Amino acid sequence: MQPGSFDLVGIIVYEIDQNPFQSTFYNGTIEVTEPGGLLSVESVFLFCLGIALLVLLGFWIRGQIQNLSKKTKRAPKAKVEVGTATTDASTDEWLEGTAYSQSLSNKSKKKK
């Protein structure tokens, strides 16, 4: 039941000597409230959410300060090696006798 004000009517129905009777023993408003415990699930959730938002705000502010304090000079980017482009025969000696080396020799013959 949710907290709030509710109307409560208590009626008793009885029969005496084959005659039905009805009596109202309570007619009033009652207040239903939540138990007043120290911690509730809602308060714990809101507390954790508030702490998480403060931590995120702190990280964002820290990042903004670091971006502002960086020097405008930046180190040149290092080249990243993506492979070798040489077709030197000495580097392909492990491929001798395979279909790959045969296809290379056929291509070099066609170019001439």
Side-chain angles (χ1 to χ4, degrees):
M1 203 181 268
Q2 294 189 3
S5 297
F6 296 95
D7 292 330
L8 178 66
V9 178
I11 299 173
I12 186 166
V13 179
Y14 55 95
E15 188 175 309
I16 299 177
D17 296 330
Q18 306 265 329
N19 293 323
F21 293 97
Q22 177 177 334
S23 296
T24 303
F25 62 89
Y26 184 81
N27 186 8
T29 304
I30 60 169
E31 291 285 328
V32 176
T33 60
E34 287 185 8
L38 181 62
L39 289 175
S40 68
V41 175
E42 183 180 0
S43 63
V44 171
F45 173 75
L46 288 175
F47 178 75
C48 291
L49 181 65
I51 294 296
L53 289 175
L54 287 174
V55 167
L56 286 174
L57 180 66
F59 278 126
W60 182 78
I61 290 173
R62 182 176 152 228
Q64 294 299 318
I65 289 172
Q66 286 179 348
N67 283 341
L68 291 175
S69 65
K70 282 185 179 177
K71 294 180 180 176
T72 56
K73 294 181 182 178
R74 294 189 177 174
K77 291 184 179 179
K79 282 190 172 182
V80 176
E81 185 177 336
V82 292
T84 57
T86 62
T87 55
D88 187 15
S90 64
T91 59
D92 291 339
E93 66 186 29
W94 62 278
L95 292 172
E96 288 177 10
T98 63
Y100 179 75
S101 64
Q102 291 172 0
S103 69
L104 284 179
S105 64
N106 288 342
K107 285 182 184 178
S108 63
K109 287 180 184 177
K110 287 180 182 178
K111 287 182 182 179
K112 291 180 181 182

